[in-house]
Amino acid sequence: MQKELSTGRNMLWNSAGSFIYLGCQWAITVLVVRLSDGYDGAGTLALAMAISNVFAPVAHFRVRPYQVSDVRHAIDDGEYVVFRLLSIGLSVVLVFFYTVITCDSSSLVPVMLFFVFRAVDLFFDVFHAIDQRNNRMDYCGKSSAVRGVLILLSFSIVLYATNDLNLAIASMTAVTLPVLLYDVPKAKSFGPIRAHLSRKHALKLFRDCLPSVIGMVGCIAVVSVARQYLSFVEGDVALGIYASVCTPVVIVQAGANYIYAPLLVSFARYYDERKIGAFKSLLFKILALTLLFTLLASVAFLLFGDFLLGIAFGADIVQYSYLLYPAIVSAALTALIAFASDLLVVVRDPKGNLICNLLSFVACVPCTLLFVPLCGMNGASYAIAVSYAVGLVAMLVCLRKRLLGRVN
């Protein structure tokens, strides 16, 4: 039996590896402009990323928090692996038909290549869930860091040498796959992983996770609705400026996620053992840490935001740095609603998960129609923040009901 790491070390390893991976992915979006002839490559990559964001929840199928919180091992790890392969296969088919129907034929190859890369990335996730449940997130962190560096190097070298975006995207998948030789043995060190999936457990995973998947798609659509309406009202240039300025703010959302992700196992154990006081105490600590992290990020962007934007996107973008601060708030609420949604998975409340996420989607329509014409580019951030706040409050109410039911 391997020795578990402390919560602090798990958080440190997970955060370090994930930040490196996130930073390398962000660098790719900058390098595609710097290394390509013109802006066509950047637009195509942005389209591929946007489509992958829509269908990635289908590939993920919200199984990670379910698997991590399966502290009684009701379902074998090998069954989670096979189920993930099936959900990835379904998402690839959906992406293909969606792209054929909605996009120019020239976009099909890069979109599919990028989604294959994203699918491989999500396949790693099922092994990282095993590491996380056994409190060895150092394996996850090391894997993420190595993969981040490899995809950045391969993308930049191939794009610089060939000026071919398709080859550059394909190279990211090629350098990612060998890292499985590290991840799979590490996951197997906690116990054998036999690839199989019973009909009973397949139906259980599908039934338990599908409401969360639908809810998450609706939740993600909040951002799409706000941005698309901004483009409709203010034009594509305004959307481009808004998207560029908001890119660094993703660090707030990611940072909050890295705070709570290693603790899902603790939440699951507290809930399973009916330690509701400990569950609530940990919940309030994470909310406080997220607030503190958001405040620190706001100060950092206040001091260095103009400098970072100027380096990344040029001096012309600096005049729009005022967009950063509402975007920071919306990013923090995005992270919090993802956290609350994961907790509803932990306490096995799929119905509440679905309803609350869809509440955010319903709220985003009037919020977007109100704030964007009134506040311009900042209106998109206000609409996203208010919509997610509505869903978050509803999730906390559902979570409270489940906890009270667990006490009685």
Side-chain angles (χ1 to χ4, degrees):
M1 187 69 179
Q2 296 192 48
K3 182 181 179 181
E4 295 184 354
L5 297 184
S6 66
T7 299
R9 291 187 67 188
N10 276 311
M11 292 175 68
L12 181 62
W13 274 110
N14 183 59
S15 299
S18 299
F19 271 123
I20 292 172
Y21 189 78
L22 179 67
C24 290
Q25 281 203 322
W26 176 76
I28 286 170
T29 65
V30 176
L31 287 172
V32 71
V33 177
R34 303 288 189 181
L35 299 177
S36 299
D37 295 333
Y39 293 93
D40 291 348
T44 301
L45 182 62
L47 174 65
M49 288 180 168
I51 292 175
S52 75
N53 287 338
V54 173
F55 291 97
V58 177
H60 186 270
F61 220 81
R62 299 290 286 162
V63 169
R64 172 73 177 264
Y66 193 99
Q67 181 182 0
V68 166
S69 58
D70 183 11
V71 292
R72 292 180 179 269
H73 299 271
I75 298 175
D76 290 343
D77 287 327
E79 294 186 282
Y80 285 115
V81 172
V82 174
F83 189 85
R84 176 59 58 86
L85 287 173
L86 293 174
S87 64
I88 285 174
L90 173 62
S91 66
V92 169
V93 172
L94 292 176
V95 169
F96 176 80
F97 284 107
Y98 178 85
T99 307
V100 168
I101 294 170
T102 64
C103 300
D104 186 86
S105 58
S106 62
S107 301
L108 178 60
V109 173
V111 168
M112 292 307 301
L113 284 173
F114 187 83
F115 195 77
V116 168
F117 160 73
R118 188 73 182 273
V120 171
D121 197 49
L122 287 167
F123 186 58
F124 276 86
D125 181 74
V126 74
F127 297 106
H128 289 179
I130 298 172
D131 301 333
Q132 180 178 353
R133 194 175 57 206
N134 290 278
N135 287 313
R136 288 304 303 260
M137 296 194 77
D138 52 327
Y139 300 153
C140 312
K142 292 172 184 177
S143 172
S144 297
V146 170
R147 285 185 291 122
V149 173
L150 287 176
I151 65 172
L152 178 59
L153 290 175
S154 66
F155 182 87
S156 55
I157 291 171
V158 173
L159 187 61
Y160 176 78
T162 67
N163 197 36
D164 189 319
L165 180 64
N166 291 337
L167 288 178
I169 295 173
S171 73
M172 295 196 298
T173 303
V175 298
T176 296
L177 282 170
V179 186
L180 282 171
L181 298 175
Y182 171 81
D183 280 89
V184 175
K186 290 299 184 184
K188 284 184 174 180
S189 67
F190 302 109
I193 301 176
R194 184 172 59 89
H196 70 291
L197 180 61
S198 68
R199 182 174 180 272
K200 175 184 175 182
H201 287 159
L203 291 175
K204 179 175 176 56
L205 284 171
F206 184 82
R207 183 181 61 251
D208 289 353
C209 296
L210 181 61
S212 299
V213 175
I214 297 172
M216 183 53 60
V217 171
C219 188
I220 292 172
V222 168
V223 176
S224 298
V225 169
R227 291 193 173 195
Q228 287 180 359
Y229 190 68
L230 173 62
S231 177
F232 175 76
V233 173
E234 300 283 339
D236 290 340
V237 173
L239 177 59
I241 292 169
Y242 175 81
S244 298
V245 172
C246 291
T247 299
V249 175
V250 174
I251 194 173
V252 177
Q253 181 181 341
N257 176 268
Y258 304 152
I259 288 172
Y260 81 77
L263 298 172
L264 287 179
V265 178
S266 297
F267 279 113
R269 289 175 177 171
Y270 290 151
Y271 187 74
D272 182 65
E273 297 168 5
R274 299 179 183 270
K275 296 179 179 179
I276 305 306
F279 189 106
K280 290 181 178 179
S281 176
L282 187 57
L283 171 62
F284 290 134
K285 286 178 182 178
I286 291 178
L287 293 176
L289 283 172
T290 302
L291 177 60
L292 177 61
F293 185 80
T294 303
L295 291 174
L296 291 175
S298 299
V299 173
F301 280 117
L302 179 65
L303 296 175
F304 307 109
D306 290 1
F307 175 72
L308 294 174
L309 288 174
I311 289 179
F313 301 105
D316 292 343
I317 204 77
V318 174
Q319 61 183 305
Y320 300 102
S321 62
Y322 66 90
L323 298 171
L324 281 169
Y325 307 106
I328 291 172
V329 175
S330 68
L333 283 164
T334 302
L336 285 174
I337 198 169
F339 167 52
S341 184
D342 281 349
L343 286 184
L344 288 179
V345 174
V346 168
V347 301
R348 302 297 189 258
D349 186 6
K351 181 180 178 181
N353 213 329
L354 172 63
I355 293 172
C356 296
N357 274 307
L358 292 182
L359 275 177
S360 290
F361 177 71
V362 172
C364 84
V365 177
C367 288
T368 300
L369 293 174
L370 172 65
F371 287 119
V372 172
L374 191 64
C375 306
M377 288 183 280
N378 268 335
S381 294
Y382 296 145
I384 293 168
V386 174
S387 300
Y388 282 154
V390 170
L392 176 61
V393 170
M395 286 183 181
L396 292 176
V397 171
C398 288
L399 185 61
R400 182 175 182 273
K401 289 177 63 176
R402 297 291 288 189
L403 294 178
L404 287 174
R406 196 68 175 165
V407 172
N408 299 326

